[in-house]
Amino acid sequence: MSIALRLGRTTALALTAALGVATMADARDLRGWNLHVPDYPGSIAMEEFAKAIGEKTEGRYNGSVFHNGQLGDQRFAIEQFAFDGIDFAVFSGGSLGDFAPALNIVSMPYVFRSQEHMFEVLDGAVGEQLSTALEPHNMVALSWFTGGARSFYTVNAPINSVADLKGMKIRVPDADIFVATIEALGGNATPLAFGEVYTSLQTGVIDGAENNAPSFESTRHYEVAKYYTLDEHLMVPEALVVSKTLWDSLSAEDQDIFREAAREAAQSQRTLWAAREAASAGILRGAGVQFIEVADKQPFIDAMTPVYDRFVTTDELRKLLADIQAVGN
């Protein structure tokens, strides 16, 4: 073999190796924050999002999801976006409202008529407006997950109407919006730590509580509370967000990849959540829980006027509320 040919091959190999190193150097590792355990519906969907962007960008972006709040609690994680400490995450709309007041609208009771209504709202123009509201906090919302629908469960008597709530002691989280909601319905709001609910139901300290079906089932509260009224008074969605710094650095093609992966993850999460709800409902029914369907939610919604007057206090929020209520009507 001639010296020239050997040199040519050596040069080619060196160039190939250099290009490979350059490609690896150009790849970016992304950190994803998640509050929940790895087998939770939202956690599975986040892993699918991370995998999809890795595959569709051919390894130029590789996401790792840190579950169980390993990177800090939710408030801390939201604050980290300002410093590009976290690249993507799924946050509760309620927690985001502490930073971007427009997001408080999704925490209003009965703001969504059903989960289908919520999806239609968030997948449309209102969802885009809420994403825009997050941009000053270095976040872009690419899709929306469901956090389930909270409904009432009671020990001694079912709730068939607003009148049935009068005087009932209902456990709520220690948050003003929850207290105001129960009081507007005529009940006695009783803030309690979550770990105290089972015993309080059992001993009569409270008459009932409220949560989504998987939480009602997994806590075994159904062992003492046998009535579950599907009023769905609260549906707080979760946003799959990416850092705006990251988003602005992406090419138009990569932005499309990220958005498509996020929307596919949202569809997956919604399907997984529906399956989780159905499984929990089966366990609850098997344990003798009576499900009460609310055929007409309007009296419950009408009772929220003082709540909206108290919490929907800006033109921005009033406009968002009107836009949400107009969807599907």
Side-chain angles (χ1 to χ4, degrees):
M1 182 182 296
S2 70
I3 295 176
L5 182 56
R6 287 177 182 174
L7 288 174
R9 287 185 177 180
T10 301
T11 301
L13 289 171
L15 180 59
T16 300
L19 287 172
V21 170
T23 300
M24 292 178 64
D26 290 342
R28 178 169 174 183
D29 294 326
L30 307 178
R31 290 169 20 118
W33 179 93
N34 179 37
L35 177 65
H36 301 293
V37 295
D39 65 349
Y40 193 73
S43 306
I44 295 170
M46 284 191 73
E47 291 285 1
E48 292 174 354
F49 170 74
K51 181 180 179 182
I53 60 176
E55 291 178 348
K56 292 177 180 180
T57 64
E58 299 179 334
R60 285 180 286 107
Y61 294 92
N62 298 295
S64 298
V65 183
F66 293 84
H67 303 289
N68 295 307
Q70 292 178 60
L71 301 181
D73 63 24
Q74 189 155 209
R75 185 176 186 86
F76 176 81
I78 293 172
E79 290 171 343
Q80 284 302 297
F81 269 77
F83 308 103
D84 293 314
I86 295 173
D87 300 296
F88 66 100
V90 170
F91 292 131
S92 165
S95 296
L96 290 171
D98 291 338
F99 295 83
L103 272 291
N104 285 321
I105 200 65
V106 302
S107 297
M108 291 296 105
Y110 302 104
V111 69
F112 300 116
R113 296 186 293 275
S114 65
Q115 291 207 64
E116 292 72 25
H117 176 233
M118 180 179 74
F119 297 149
E120 186 177 1
V121 167
L122 295 174
D123 291 343
V126 172
E128 293 176 5
Q129 291 177 55
L130 295 177
S131 180
T132 299
L134 290 170
E135 290 184 4
H137 304 280
N138 201 35
M139 284 180 271
V140 176
L142 298 184
S143 67
W144 301 86
F145 292 6
T146 177
R150 298 176 77 104
S151 292
F152 293 111
Y153 50 90
T154 48
V155 177
N156 297 315
I159 297 170
N160 293 292
S161 67
V162 173
D164 293 332
L165 271 158
K166 187 173 179 59
M168 275 195 178
K169 299 187 293 294
I170 303 295
R171 181 269 173 183
V172 294
D174 189 9
D176 289 346
I177 187 66
F178 282 92
V179 172
T181 297
I182 301 304
E183 290 179 346
L185 292 169
N188 292 326
T190 308
L192 282 175
F194 194 57
E196 298 175 14
V197 176
Y198 188 104
T199 302
S200 297
L201 289 166
Q202 195 173 41
T203 59
V205 171
I206 55 176
D207 299 306
E210 49 80 56
N211 219 317
N212 57 55
S215 293
F216 182 25
E217 174 260 313
S218 64
T219 56
R220 306 187 74 84
H221 291 173
Y222 63 86
E223 293 177 346
V224 285
K226 294 296 185 180
Y227 301 101
Y228 193 38
T229 298
L230 302 177
D231 71 301
E232 300 181 321
H233 52 270
L234 200 61
M235 302 179 201
V236 180
E238 300 173 337
L240 172 51
V241 302
V242 299
S243 156
K244 189 173 185 298
T245 303
L246 166 63
W247 182 252
D248 290 343
S249 73
L250 298 175
S251 66
E253 179 182 0
D254 284 342
Q255 286 184 349
D256 288 343
I257 288 172
F258 272 63
R259 192 178 294 280
E260 180 184 10
R263 289 174 174 169
E264 290 174 351
Q267 292 302 319
S268 176
Q269 189 271 345
R270 296 171 190 181
T271 300
L272 290 167
W273 182 264
R276 178 78 170 263
E277 280 188 323
S280 293
I283 293 170
L284 294 170
R285 292 182 193 278
V289 172
Q290 179 181 338
F291 281 61
I292 298 96
E293 300 282 348
V294 179
D296 182 13
K297 293 183 184 179
Q298 198 57 46
F300 290 84
I301 296 170
D302 291 342
M304 292 301 105
T305 299
V307 180
Y308 290 171
D309 288 345
R310 177 179 172 184
F311 293 97
V312 183
T313 56
T314 66
D315 289 340
E316 179 184 34
L317 288 175
R318 283 189 282 269
K319 175 66 165 54
L320 282 168
L321 178 61
D323 289 345
I324 290 171
Q325 292 173 334
V327 172
N329 279 338

